[in-house]
Amino acid sequence: MGVDLRQVVAGVLTLTMFVMLIHMIKRDHFDAVHDKLPGTEDVGFESTNFDTTHVRKNIGIWKGDADELNPCWAKPSEDNAETEGFVTFSLTNGPEYHISQIADAVLVARSLGATLVIPDIRGSQPGDKRNFEDIYDVNVFMKSMEGVVRVVKDLPSHVTTHKIAAVKVPNRVTEEYIAQHVEPIYRSKGSVRLATYFPSINMKKAGEKSDADSVACLAMYGSLELQQETHDLVDSMVERLKTLSRKSDGQFIAVDLRVEMLNKKGCQGSDSEKEKSCFNAQEVAVFLRKIGFEKDTTIYVTQSRWDESLDSLKDLFPKTYTKESIIPADKKKKFLDSEDSELEKVIDFYISSESDVFVPAISGLFYANVAGKRIGSGKSQILVPANIPDSSASASSFLSHYVSKKNHFAYSCYC
């Protein structure tokens, strides 16, 4: 039988292509880069290797849940009996607390049938006090409350502040708690001044949705908007970060990492948990590299001023910035040099809410309420750091439980 030359040539080509494919597979899976990255020799990264094949292939690290969510709360009915008293309160400790404090105050005022007085804003230092409209849009807030509670900008002159009873309420206060612990005092004194305390950081959604949940959803996610100057400032800083991120299509990471928080008790975690609740700059840097982010990734850090402990993050990610390096020069004096930490916290909170990826290096209310804002706007790529023993890992393995389990309270508000 004669040999068909064309069949011989086809067989040789097929065999050659098969051998080439085998070599490509072996190279992809087994050829790792073991050289240390520049700048790691002095920061204890000697045992850390990064699989560049994984980095190149992990193209989904920027993408979160693409589902579009819309507000699904309904304005509650106007069937509450109106009373003559007032509920006053102050916003304190930064925007992550403001969101919760607003929700509690609105729910208390509605439950009592009282008039809510627009709060002032107080910082951590004595005498650090400002008006609500210095940060938030007062008209948006008042309009959002129409049909929910009556709102006035100031306490009427005939109501003397020393006659107002001070009442503490737990975060995410319930109608039952209000009826038992707040209403008797309100009936006796005529008005109350609220102070929200936080026995725990719990932003997980409860069981069945209630009328109170709709009130809380509206207050948390439909009432607070930044006043125009602050809104424009945050927008300009976000745009600056996007401009610095050309190699990643304008995408950037925000990392909540504040050096002064790392040594505090709440950051240490308990021995029984055996889980870290805070991660330093070096640990965050290694985590981000191992899950696939490349060295030219742009990173915004919430630390107010550059600290030398951030050098280990900048060694692996040279395009790492704090607010002082990206804020417009004409805004620096007012927002950074005024010794007013409240304005700086606002910048951090809203940039962290707008970034393409959010990494909470510190557990707590900032993480929980940024997560809620991000879920509402569809920015669900929230990656929680961990110590990764291998040279690489999938980013999806570190998605926040608030998103992966859809157990954040925000999922009661958006659908």
Side-chain angles (χ1 to χ4, degrees):
M1 179 183 295
V3 178
D4 189 333
L5 184 59
R6 288 176 297 179
Q7 290 181 334
V8 172
V9 172
V12 171
L13 288 174
T14 300
L15 181 61
T16 302
M17 291 176 65
F18 181 75
V19 171
M20 289 174 64
L21 179 61
I22 290 294
H23 280 292
M24 288 172 65
I25 293 172
K26 289 173 66 178
R27 185 171 68 248
D28 271 353
H29 284 275
F30 302 109
D31 290 356
V33 175
H34 296 287
D35 294 335
K36 288 193 285 285
L37 294 171
T40 61
E41 289 78 6
D42 298 326
V43 290
F45 293 174
E46 289 83 0
S47 62
T48 302
N49 297 314
F50 300 102
D51 185 339
T52 56
T53 298
H54 171 81
V55 172
R56 185 175 66 251
K57 283 191 166 186
N58 197 351
I59 59 175
I61 54 177
W62 290 105
K63 297 186 180 299
D65 187 348
D67 293 344
E68 288 189 15
L69 300 179
N70 297 302
C72 57
W73 65 81
K75 271 199 174 184
S77 58
E78 299 183 48
D79 56 0
N80 276 24
E82 293 185 354
T83 58
E84 297 300 319
F86 296 86
V87 170
T88 69
F89 68 112
S90 293
L91 298 177
T92 60
N93 300 319
E96 68 271 31
Y97 286 85
H98 298 173
I99 287 177
S100 295
Q101 291 161 346
I102 282 282
D104 292 329
V106 170
L107 185 57
V108 169
R110 177 174 171 80
S111 296
L112 299 176
T115 298
L116 186 70
V117 181
I118 293 288
D120 58 13
I121 299 175
R122 302 191 180 189
S124 55
Q125 301 301 321
D128 184 1
K129 181 179 175 181
R130 61 180 60 251
N131 295 323
F132 182 87
E133 55 265 32
D134 291 339
I135 294 179
Y136 298 109
D137 189 319
V138 67
N139 294 322
V140 168
F141 178 75
M142 295 185 73
K143 186 171 181 60
S144 72
M145 291 295 110
E146 290 177 358
V148 181
V149 294
R150 290 167 295 162
V151 180
V152 294
K153 290 187 178 181
D154 300 294
L155 196 65
S157 58
H158 70 272
V159 181
T160 54
T161 56
H162 71 273
K163 290 184 178 180
I164 298 178
V167 180
K168 286 187 175 182
V169 297
N171 177 38
R172 300 186 70 181
V173 65
T174 63
E175 291 178 302
E176 291 76 18
Y177 184 97
I178 296 168
Q180 184 175 352
H181 298 283
V182 182
E183 187 169 359
I185 300 173
Y186 175 76
R187 300 295 180 190
S188 172
K189 298 294 185 179
S191 295
V192 293
R193 178 171 180 80
L194 298 182
T196 298
Y197 67 95
F198 293 79
S200 65
I201 305 301
N202 176 19
M203 288 307 299
K204 292 183 179 180
K205 64 181 180 181
E208 293 296 318
K209 291 177 65 174
S210 65
D211 188 64
D213 284 339
S214 290
V215 174
C217 288
L218 173 63
M220 295 183 78
Y221 303 119
S223 72
L224 289 182
E225 287 189 12
L226 295 177
Q227 57 94 336
Q228 197 61 50
E229 182 187 12
T230 309
H231 185 279
D232 291 345
L233 172 63
V234 171
D235 279 353
S236 70
M237 294 176 72
V238 169
E239 286 305 311
R240 173 66 175 151
L241 289 164
K242 289 181 178 296
T243 300
L244 293 166
S245 309
R246 290 191 186 96
K247 290 187 177 180
S248 56
D249 296 326
Q251 296 168 310
F252 70 95
I253 301 173
V255 177
D256 178 34
L257 196 166
R258 289 159 281 157
V259 174
E260 71 276 8
M261 293 290 294
L262 294 178
N263 294 322
K264 292 190 175 182
K265 184 178 179 181
C267 245
Q268 304 309 310
S270 66
D271 292 335
S272 60
E273 292 174 348
K274 293 185 178 180
E275 292 180 353
K276 288 175 66 67
S277 56
C278 299
F279 290 80
N280 61 33
Q282 174 180 326
E283 292 167 327
V284 170
V286 173
F287 168 74
L288 291 174
R289 285 294 280 140
K290 284 187 173 182
I291 63 173
F293 289 100
E294 298 182 347
K295 65 178 295 184
D296 59 2
T297 299
T298 298
I299 297 177
Y300 174 82
V301 184
T302 57
Q303 170 69 21
S304 290
R305 305 294 185 277
W306 191 265
D307 185 271
E308 63 179 9
S309 66
L310 298 178
D311 291 348
S312 54
L313 178 57
K314 198 173 185 68
D315 284 338
L316 289 187
F317 297 95
K319 296 167 72 172
T320 297
Y321 305 94
T322 57
K323 63 183 71 63
E324 62 182 339
S325 59
I326 62 169
I327 192 169
D330 62 331
K331 301 295 183 182
K332 189 173 183 180
K333 183 176 181 180
K334 176 177 180 178
F335 286 87
L336 296 191
D337 297 340
S338 63
E339 297 184 355
D340 182 0
S341 61
E342 204 72 13
L343 293 175
E344 296 189 23
K345 291 176 182 177
V346 168
I347 292 172
D348 289 332
F349 186 84
Y350 284 90
I351 289 181
S352 296
S353 300
E354 291 294 323
S355 64
D356 298 281
V357 174
F358 174 56
V359 177
I362 302 168
S363 63
L365 198 62
F366 189 97
Y367 161 36
N369 275 337
V370 165
K373 291 280 289 184
R374 294 182 65 91
I375 288 167
S377 61
K379 294 180 177 294
S380 57
Q381 190 71 330
I382 305 168
L383 304 178
V384 178
N387 291 324
I388 303 173
D390 299 323
S391 62
S392 65
S394 170
S396 61
S397 301
F398 304 96
L399 194 64
S400 167
H401 67 85
Y402 284 137
V403 175
S404 62
K405 297 182 179 180
K406 296 187 183 300
N407 62 6
H408 195 285
F409 176 70
Y411 285 108
S412 299
C413 305
Y414 294 92
C415 51

